[in-house]
Amino acid sequence: MDKSSELEQVKKCCGHFILAVNDTLNVINGKWKLPIISSLIYGKKRFKELERDIAKITPRMLSKELKELELNGIVKRTVYDTIPVKVEYELTSSGKSLKKVLEVMVEWGLEHRENIIGK
Amino acid sequence: MDKSSELEQVKKCCGHFILAVNDTLNVINGKWKLPIISSLIYGKKRFKELERDIAKITPRMLSKELKELELNGIVKRTVYDTIPVKVEYELTSSGKSLKKVLEVMVEWGLEHRENIIGK
DNA sequence: CTGAATCCCCCAGGATACTG
DNA sequence: CAGTATCCTGGGGGATTCAG
């Protein structure tokens, strides 16, 4: 393999790398995704419970973010046909598996904070 | 410890958790941070090299993002007093340590894509 | 209770031109 | 080469009100 095609390989690989990271980022970006996911890590929650748990979120944003999380296969929505209606949200297996990603991010965040302060 | 103070503990812990994740997120957010970091993983680069490597980035954005990365202790900027001026950018140790975070994100991104397609 | 509909503001980021 | 300076736009997200 010559130099130029080798470079192409690296660029291609790097591109896929960035794409996959962006997939992950797109799932957790938005101001409220992380608070929502974190709140659901400890179990099912109803709409109103989430609204209470997450400080200062409006129903509009909660609804919007939950919808996106559902579309992305992170959250499962279940409607109970009672009166009044009851809706429960829970993490899918994909959602639960996000936990280890978040843990690595927590770890790095803390380490990095130490580094900054240390200087 | 009673129920309510236990709940307080959980909320507090959860808050710190989210804070640390946000620290990490804040470092890599913005449209071009990841492409820049990825490009620098393979070694030092000059401004113009980065501009060429990263498709469609404008000097304005490259400059802005590099400045933020430098402030956050992710990138080190070195000026060589030649004519014309030469400036090199490289990852700090904190920047390099981000690699393992990104790898976990890549891994999850790929897995999650599989899950979605599988359905 | 669980949202949808509207209106509105702010700023991340693009385009373009210019400087030391 | 390594950036600045301006101007401008889209859409993320807040506040509020309405609906099933």
Side-chain angles (χ1 to χ4, degrees):
Chain A
M1 194 188 291
D2 63 54
K3 271 269 176 69
S4 67
S5 68
E6 197 178 325
L7 181 61
E8 286 314 304
Q9 281 304 71
V10 169
K11 279 197 180 175
K12 196 173 174 185
C13 164
C14 185
H16 289 170
F17 173 88
I18 292 189
L19 269 183
V21 177
N22 278 331
D23 279 353
T24 306
L25 245 27
N26 287 333
V27 162
I28 62 178
N29 78 356
K31 193 170 176 182
W32 303 104
K33 298 276 168 58
L34 243 27
I36 293 173
I37 292 171
S38 301
S39 179
L40 288 176
I41 278 183
Y42 299 103
K44 300 182 179 183
K45 294 270 176 68
R46 302 181 57 170
F47 191 88
K48 199 66 178 182
E49 290 182 281
L50 286 170
E51 195 180 342
R52 267 193 299 263
D53 278 10
I54 304 168
K56 310 218 167 191
I57 193 171
T58 62
R60 172 179 140 77
M61 289 312 294
L62 181 54
S63 173
K64 240 187 74 181
E65 305 274 68
L66 280 171
K67 206 172 288 174
E68 289 174 29
L69 287 170
E70 198 190 349
L71 268 174
N72 285 324
I74 306 301
V75 156
K76 178 158 174 284
R77 178 174 182 270
T78 311
V79 183
Y80 296 91
D81 208 355
T82 57
I83 297 179
V85 214
K86 176 178 165 185
V87 181
E88 277 186 342
Y89 294 89
E90 61 187 314
L91 294 181
T92 63
S93 59
S94 244
K96 286 172 192 160
S97 71
L98 253 179
K99 197 176 175 188
K100 66 174 189 297
V101 180
L102 300 184
E103 278 164 358
V104 174
M105 294 179 73
V106 168
E107 203 179 321
W108 187 88
L110 295 176
E111 271 178 30
H112 183 242
R113 187 175 282 254
E114 286 298 316
N115 283 343
I116 298 297
I117 294 173
K119 286 178 186 167
Chain B
M1 192 188 295
D2 63 58
K3 271 270 175 70
S4 66
S5 69
E6 196 178 326
L7 181 62
E8 286 314 305
Q9 281 303 72
V10 169
K11 278 197 180 177
K12 197 174 175 184
C13 164
C14 185
H16 288 170
F17 173 88
I18 292 189
L19 268 184
V21 177
N22 278 331
D23 279 354
T24 306
L25 245 29
N26 287 334
V27 162
I28 62 177
N29 78 356
K31 193 170 176 183
W32 303 104
K33 299 275 169 55
L34 244 26
I36 293 172
I37 292 170
S38 302
S39 178
L40 288 176
I41 278 183
Y42 300 103
K44 299 181 179 182
K45 295 270 176 69
R46 303 178 58 170
F47 190 90
K48 198 67 177 183
E49 290 181 281
L50 286 170
E51 195 181 341
R52 268 193 298 263
D53 278 8
I54 304 167
K56 309 219 169 190
I57 194 172
T58 62
R60 173 179 137 77
M61 288 314 294
L62 182 54
S63 173
K64 239 187 74 180
E65 304 274 69
L66 280 171
K67 209 171 286 176
E68 289 175 29
L69 287 170
E70 198 191 348
L71 267 174
N72 284 324
I74 306 300
V75 156
K76 178 158 174 283
R77 179 174 181 270
T78 312
V79 183
Y80 296 91
D81 207 357
T82 57
I83 297 180
V85 215
K86 176 177 164 184
V87 181
E88 277 186 342
Y89 294 89
E90 60 187 312
L91 294 180
T92 63
S93 59
S94 244
K96 286 173 193 159
S97 72
L98 251 179
K99 196 176 174 187
K100 67 175 188 296
V101 180
L102 300 185
E103 278 164 358
V104 174
M105 294 178 72
V106 168
E107 203 179 321
W108 186 88
L110 295 177
E111 271 177 29
H112 183 243
R113 187 176 282 255
E114 287 298 317
N115 285 343
I116 298 297
I117 293 174
K119 287 177 187 169

